[in-house]
């Protein structure tokens, strides 16, 4: 395989090399798409349907497929942007194939998890709440890392970029307790990753970023035919992956756009709000905790974050992350 990757990289500017470099992600996606649909059909027919009174029909309508495609496509621009940025720091055909396979598998595992959660219709508030809080924190981290793409851009008015930067900095400081262990994955200065790290984060990103749509997927599965939805969702994921990996040069140009980056930052902030608000609603409705108590608990958590930051800074002989955040953009 190493010889094949070396040949693809060394012949990327030849007609044959360009053709094979473009056919490679298309072929990978086509093979996995067939596997996704076949395995999902097996799961439905042999594992989920036996537990249901109203069986899931293996017959689908194009309306269900289109709804699934649209549902995934319009919510996946964030993940596509980050994966595209990862590709800039991890160029070469080997990295492309690794990311190509890992990203589609991340989508597949995430959607299959939702399928089983919905199919068995269990009370899963205890699982959804921490997932939504973590997903919201990941959104803020990605918004924070994307700042470098537009902070010095002359095409973005300072009246828009500066307030955005300060808001994201503050939110990241308060939410980093949930994501401090994650490496930087979408900054332009990120170094190339080892293959194992590339596989891990390429897999986890579409899985984690899609968690904020968990409830939306479960709602759609209740309204539309599940098998048709899955066909559309997986096709949208495959389609996005082909767009990302067929033309690395075009992908690089798109994801480094300052305008697109600040729009993506707003999108990440909205998705973070969506995740946190849904978690808040579930805590209030399912756990019967008043909104006033939730607000007080949040203030206590933020105070503990500030206190721990100060204590750890003294022990580690460093500046607090708060002072670092305040001075970060000066």
């Amino acid at each position: 395989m190493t010889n094949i990757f070396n040949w693809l990289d060394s012949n990327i500017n030849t007609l044959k090399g360009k053709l094979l470099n473009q056919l490679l992600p298309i072929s990978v996606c086509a093979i996995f798409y067939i596997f996704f649909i076949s395995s999902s059909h097996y799961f439905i027919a042999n594992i989920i349907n036996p537990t249901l009174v109203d069986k899931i029909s293996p017959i689908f309508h194009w309306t269900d497929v289109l709804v699934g495609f649209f549902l995934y496509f319009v919510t996946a621009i964030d993940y596509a942007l980050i994966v595209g940025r990862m590709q800039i720091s991890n160029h070469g055909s080997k990295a492309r194939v690794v990311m190509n396979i890992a990203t589609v598998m991340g989508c597949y595992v995430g959607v299959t998890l939702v399928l089983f959660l919905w199919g068995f219709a269990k009370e899963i508030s205890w699982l959804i709440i921490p997932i939504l809080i973590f997903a919201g924190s990941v959104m803020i981290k990605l918004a924070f890392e994307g700042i470098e793409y537009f902070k010095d851009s002359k095409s973005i008015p300072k009246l828009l970029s500066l307030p955005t930067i300060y808001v994201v900095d503050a939110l990241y400081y308060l939410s980093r307790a949930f994501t401090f262990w994650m490496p930087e994955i979408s900054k332009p200065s990120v170094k190339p990753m080892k293959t194992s790290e590339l596989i891990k984060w390429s897999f986890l990103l579409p899985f984690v970023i899609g968690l904020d749509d968990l409830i939306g997927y479960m709602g759609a599965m209740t309204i539309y035919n599940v098998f048709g939805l899955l066909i559309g969702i997986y096709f949208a994921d495959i389609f996005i992956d082909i767009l990302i990996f067929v033309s690395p040069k075009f992908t690089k140009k798109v994801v480094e756009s300052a305008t697109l980056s600040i729009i993506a930052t707003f999108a990440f902030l909205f998705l973070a709000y969506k995740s946190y608000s849904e978690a808040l609603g579930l805590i209030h409705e399912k756990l019967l905790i008043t909104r006033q108590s939730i607000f007080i608990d949040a203030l206590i958590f933020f105070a503990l974050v500030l206190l721990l930051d100060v204590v750890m800074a003294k022990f580690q002989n460093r500046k607090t992350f708060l002072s670092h955040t305040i001075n970060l953009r000066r």
Side-chain angles (χ1 to χ4, degrees):
M1 288 298 294
T2 302
N3 291 334
I4 295 176
F5 291 138
N6 290 337
W7 187 91
L8 288 171
D9 291 337
S10 60
N11 290 273
I12 194 170
N13 293 319
T14 66
L15 180 61
K16 186 177 180 180
K18 287 181 180 179
L19 179 62
L20 291 177
N21 268 288
Q22 291 177 341
L23 286 177
L24 188 58
I26 295 175
S27 302
V28 169
C29 287
I31 293 171
F32 276 95
Y33 184 65
I34 295 172
F35 166 72
F36 294 163
I37 299 302
S38 302
S39 60
S40 295
H41 184 276
Y42 175 83
F43 294 150
I44 292 172
N46 297 281
I47 301 178
I48 296 177
N49 266 350
T51 68
L52 300 178
V53 175
D54 296 323
K55 309 297 182 184
I56 300 173
S57 172
I59 301 173
F60 65 90
H61 301 285
W62 282 109
T63 301
D64 305 318
V65 177
L66 291 175
V67 168
F69 181 92
F70 180 78
L71 179 66
Y72 188 87
F73 189 83
V74 297
T75 58
I77 184 62
D78 42 18
Y79 127 74
L81 187 68
I82 300 305
V83 172
R85 288 173 178 172
M86 287 176 64
Q87 187 182 176
I88 295 173
S89 300
N90 298 274
H91 49 80
S93 57
K94 180 180 179 180
R96 276 204 303 151
V97 171
V98 166
M99 294 173 66
N100 193 181
I101 294 174
T103 51
V104 295
M105 286 302 298
C107 166
Y108 169 71
V109 173
V111 174
T112 301
L113 173 62
V114 177
L115 172 65
F116 278 108
L117 291 175
W118 173 86
F120 294 127
K122 293 181 179 179
E123 180 57 58
I124 54 172
S125 297
W126 61 269
L127 176 63
I128 292 179
I129 290 171
I131 283 177
L132 288 173
I133 293 174
F134 175 61
S137 301
V138 172
M139 297 302 119
I140 292 175
K141 175 179 173 61
L142 294 175
F144 175 79
E145 293 180 358
I147 287 174
E148 290 194 24
Y149 288 91
F150 66 82
K151 67 174 183 178
D152 297 321
S153 174
K154 295 181 180 179
S155 63
I156 307 297
K158 292 296 182 182
L159 190 63
L160 176 63
S161 62
L162 286 179
T164 302
I165 290 170
Y166 286 127
V167 168
V168 173
D169 282 345
L171 291 174
Y172 178 64
Y173 173 76
L174 294 173
S175 64
R176 68 187 306 276
F178 301 105
T179 59
F180 69 92
W181 53 274
M182 294 178 64
E184 293 179 347
I185 47 183
S186 68
K187 285 189 175 183
S189 57
V190 173
K191 295 179 181 179
M193 298 181 183
K194 295 180 180 179
T195 300
S196 59
E197 288 290 299
L198 195 59
I199 292 173
K200 180 174 70 175
W201 293 110
S202 296
F203 174 86
L204 287 176
L205 273 175
F207 177 78
V208 172
I209 293 177
L211 290 177
D212 61 292
D213 298 308
L214 178 66
I215 295 176
Y217 285 142
M218 295 182 73
M221 288 179 178
T222 303
I223 300 171
Y224 298 95
N225 176 274
V226 174
F227 189 58
L229 278 175
L230 293 178
I231 292 175
I233 288 172
Y234 291 140
F235 185 74
D237 178 63
I238 295 300
F239 181 71
I240 290 171
D241 269 57
I242 289 175
L243 289 179
I244 294 172
F245 294 111
V246 161
S247 180
K249 289 184 179 180
F250 175 75
T251 301
K252 184 176 186 296
K253 182 178 179 180
V254 170
V255 301
E256 289 183 338
S257 165
T259 302
L260 181 60
S261 293
I262 196 168
I263 291 173
T265 295
F266 289 132
F268 285 131
L269 292 177
F270 172 75
L271 292 173
Y273 163 77
K274 179 182 173 185
S275 292
Y276 287 142
S277 62
E278 287 181 351
L280 176 64
L282 286 172
I283 292 172
H284 177 63
E285 294 173 13
K286 302 296 183 180
L287 303 183
L288 303 179
I289 300 176
T290 64
R291 295 184 184 276
Q292 183 179 5
S293 297
I294 297 172
F295 178 73
I296 294 173
D297 290 340
L299 289 180
I300 293 173
F301 170 77
F302 294 149
L304 289 174
V305 169
L306 291 169
L307 179 61
L308 185 61
D309 183 18
V310 172
V311 172
M312 293 301 295
K314 288 187 176 181
F315 275 106
Q316 297 174 355
N317 193 27
R318 60 168 173 80
K319 291 184 177 180
T320 64
F321 287 115
L322 178 60
S323 62
H324 175 69
T325 300
I326 292 173
N327 294 305
L328 186 63
R329 306 299 173 187
R330 290 182 179 178

